[in-house]
Amino acid sequence: MSGNFRARRPASPPPGASYPAPTSQRFPHPRDDHLDADERRAAASKGFAPGRTKSYPSGGLDITSGEWKLLFVIVLVASGVRLFRLSKPNSVVFDEVHFGKFASRYIKTQYFVDVHPPLAKLLITLAAFVFGYDGQFDFKDIG
């Protein structure tokens, strides 16, 4: 498009003449389901959300039979995975004993080298300090 082109609007009718109907509206047609504030409040008290035409009873679930079946299968698989060999091993297993050692060293203000970020160990140290731990337990065996 060249820079010399200029769009012209249609000529205005002479004074006293009726205006022709606009070819396009500036605002869209009002929706048929448009509600004013009082009507919206009344509809909300009956359980209708804005734009919702179907009413559901308050509370409860609206789940299809296929969704119930899927939910049942997921719960069944999750329970099987969780409960499989739950009684094994027969002793206490706790592999985070080193956290207690780090907490003891922090409380005693001993120097040590650790390659991991210290936030978890510092939080455990804070809890131990708040509850009166003095750092004298060696955390060799637990359970």
Side-chain angles (χ1 to χ4, degrees):
M1 204 180 239
S2 75
N4 296 334
F5 178 77
R6 185 172 174 185
R8 295 184 56 154
R9 64 174 204 198
S12 300
S18 65
Y19 289 94
T23 56
S24 65
Q25 288 186 332
R26 182 172 176 174
F27 299 104
H29 292 289
R31 296 186 329 199
D32 294 333
D33 61 347
H34 174 73
L35 302 174
D36 66 2
D38 294 328
E39 291 169 332
R40 279 197 310 265
R41 190 177 309 111
S45 68
K46 294 178 185 173
F48 291 107
R52 180 184 284 180
T53 59
K54 187 174 180 185
S55 171
Y56 293 104
S58 60
L61 298 173
D62 185 29
I63 297 179
T64 65
S65 63
E67 292 170 332
W68 278 112
K69 291 174 187 173
L70 179 64
L71 179 63
F72 178 75
V73 168
I74 290 173
V75 168
L76 188 69
V77 168
S79 299
V81 168
R82 174 66 183 104
L83 299 175
F84 181 69
R85 294 187 182 177
L86 187 61
S87 62
K88 305 284 189 236
N90 296 331
S91 62
V92 174
V93 175
F94 182 68
D95 64 344
E96 303 296 339
V97 176
H98 59 277
F99 278 110
K101 292 177 186 176
F102 286 128
S104 294
R105 291 177 183 152
Y106 274 121
I107 287 177
K108 292 179 186 177
T109 64
Q110 292 178 346
Y111 177 78
F112 64 93
V113 177
D114 185 20
V115 296
H116 299 288
L119 179 62
K121 293 176 271 297
L122 287 171
L123 291 174
I124 291 171
T125 303
L126 175 65
F129 180 76
V130 166
F131 289 104
Y133 177 64
D134 60 358
Q136 297 305 317
F137 188 75
D138 59 359
F139 287 96
K140 287 183 180 179
D141 294 323
I142 192 164

